[in-house]
Amino acid sequence: MKIFRNRKNLINEISGLKDIAFVPTMGALHKGHISLINKAKKKSNKVLVSIYVNPKQFNTIKDYKRYPRKLSNDINTLKKIKIKYLYIPTNKDIYSFRPRNKIYLENFSKILCGKFRPFHFKGVINVVNRFLEIIKPKFIFLGVKDFQQLSLIKSHIIKNKINTNLMPCTTLRERNGVALSSRNSKLTRKQLKIAGKIYKYIKNNKKLILYKILNKKRSEVIKKLIDIGVNKVEYLECVNLIKKQICKNNKSKFNIFVAYYMEDIRLIDNL
């Protein structure tokens, strides 16, 4: 595995390659990341993984500093599964050039996470765009757990006519149903158990939750989640997956999107 910490060296290495499969990560790798990488391997034998905790997508410096970092373990993991290239840029390396493409944020960015973290998606699209301009991959692999983020990246790629195919990948879950996330490593056993109960409640009551939200009884559902054991519900919404809008009736294909806190650990899911 070749490791690059400088974009110019990386570009010199890969500039002639046309079938790179790119898996962007913020490190603290788990089975969900490995699943993305394995799917990338099926598309190309030239898989490039990045590890970069992007400061511009965090709401607070505290949250940025608290994000789990396990670089030595991550490097060993990627060596074991025989990744071709690993890019670990510095902030200066990523942000010291002017990208060609303008950041495009469609209206979907204004709800859910975008409503409560106003600069988050601008930061995400900014850094992903920079990675795409540096690497020029044929494929980029992203998890559906972050459906809103995936959708916004896809819109940006289409709007700017970027020659990269976005490959959405199914959410991997813990045995109790909790979506795999680097933040899960900060949960206690009790908190992980509570998160599993949240998953089961939402999964088993999708239509009931939609009914309550449409009939202005959202507070009843939020109370239920708090009774199960979460400290705070940031949002709970039913979203039309085709129109990417809040559901106005019960006739559309929808998922329930939730963000909640276990003490100061923020978890998101959609199902």
Side-chain angles (χ1 to χ4, degrees):
M1 181 174 75
K2 294 185 178 181
I3 300 176
F4 298 89
R5 297 175 186 268
N6 177 284
R7 74 171 186 272
K8 292 182 179 178
N9 292 340
L10 176 65
I11 291 168
N12 287 338
E13 176 73 25
I14 67 172
S15 61
L17 305 179
K18 296 181 179 180
D19 59 345
I20 292 173
F22 175 43
V23 183
T25 83
M26 292 206 297
L29 302 179
H30 51 67
K31 291 180 181 178
H33 294 117
I34 305 306
S35 174
L36 295 179
I37 291 167
N38 287 336
K39 288 177 180 177
K41 280 182 163 183
K42 291 179 181 179
K43 281 288 185 182
S44 173
N45 62 359
K46 301 178 184 68
V47 175
L48 190 157
V49 175
S50 66
I51 295 176
Y52 178 61
V53 183
N54 176 34
K56 292 186 181 292
Q57 68 189 69
F58 287 84
N59 256 26
T60 65
I61 293 175
K62 180 182 177 181
D63 194 24
Y64 168 69
K65 289 182 176 179
R66 278 178 51 84
Y67 194 85
R69 291 166 170 84
K70 302 177 180 180
L71 186 58
S72 295
N73 289 341
D74 292 343
I75 290 173
N76 289 334
T77 296
L78 295 174
K79 283 181 178 177
K80 286 178 183 177
I81 59 176
K82 298 179 180 179
I83 292 308
K84 192 90 172 178
Y85 308 108
L86 172 60
Y87 182 31
I88 314 172
T90 62
N91 292 338
K92 182 178 179 181
D93 199 51
I94 283 291
Y95 288 108
S96 62
F97 71 97
R98 174 179 282 185
R100 294 187 302 276
N101 298 316
K102 289 184 178 180
I103 294 172
Y104 173 68
L105 280 174
E106 65 175 354
N107 285 335
F108 190 36
S109 66
K110 297 177 182 178
I111 62 173
L112 305 175
C113 289
K115 181 178 179 180
F116 293 90
R117 308 174 81 195
F119 305 108
H120 173 68
F121 287 123
K122 185 176 181 181
V124 170
I125 301 299
N126 188 352
V127 76
V128 170
N129 181 63
R130 289 168 182 273
F131 274 124
L132 294 179
E133 292 197 9
I134 292 167
I135 298 165
K136 297 181 174 60
K138 184 174 182 180
F139 306 101
I140 180 171
F141 290 78
L142 299 169
V144 174
K145 182 191 76 123
D146 298 302
F147 177 86
Q148 188 178 19
Q149 174 177 289
L150 182 152
S151 178
L152 294 171
I153 292 171
K154 183 177 180 179
S155 296
H156 171 79
I157 288 172
I158 292 170
K159 180 72 173 180
N160 285 285
K161 299 178 181 178
I162 298 170
N163 190 26
T164 296
N165 299 298
L166 190 152
M167 311 299 289
C169 300
T170 306
T171 302
L172 257 65
R173 298 183 178 274
E174 308 274 6
R175 286 185 177 182
N176 67 353
V178 177
L180 291 179
S181 168
S182 297
R183 295 179 189 267
N184 291 1
S185 64
K186 291 187 171 289
L187 297 174
T188 64
R189 286 186 179 181
K190 182 180 179 181
Q191 289 172 330
L192 190 58
K193 190 174 181 180
I194 291 169
K197 290 180 179 179
I198 296 295
Y199 164 78
K200 288 172 186 173
Y201 171 72
I202 293 174
K203 181 183 178 184
N204 294 332
N205 294 279
K206 280 186 70 172
K207 290 184 179 179
L208 174 63
I209 292 170
L210 174 63
Y211 170 82
K212 284 182 177 291
I213 289 177
L214 290 176
N215 288 276
K216 300 182 180 179
K217 296 180 179 180
R218 185 195 315 268
S219 60
E220 293 181 11
V221 185
I222 290 174
K223 183 179 183 302
K224 176 66 177 178
L225 299 186
I226 290 173
D227 288 343
I228 291 172
V230 309
N231 295 98
K232 175 187 173 184
V233 177
E234 187 172 80
Y235 64 75
L236 176 77
E237 297 286 1
C238 299
V239 175
N240 182 320
L241 296 177
I242 306 302
K243 294 183 179 180
K244 293 182 283 187
Q245 297 174 351
I246 303 297
C247 291
K248 296 179 180 178
N249 55 56
N250 61 1
K251 297 177 182 179
S252 58
K253 182 180 179 182
F254 74 97
N255 267 10
I256 294 172
F257 287 72
V258 64
Y260 61 90
Y261 283 85
M262 307 287 287
E263 292 185 3
D264 60 349
I265 301 165
R266 183 178 183 271
L267 301 177
I268 67 169
D269 204 351
N270 74 89
L271 57 144

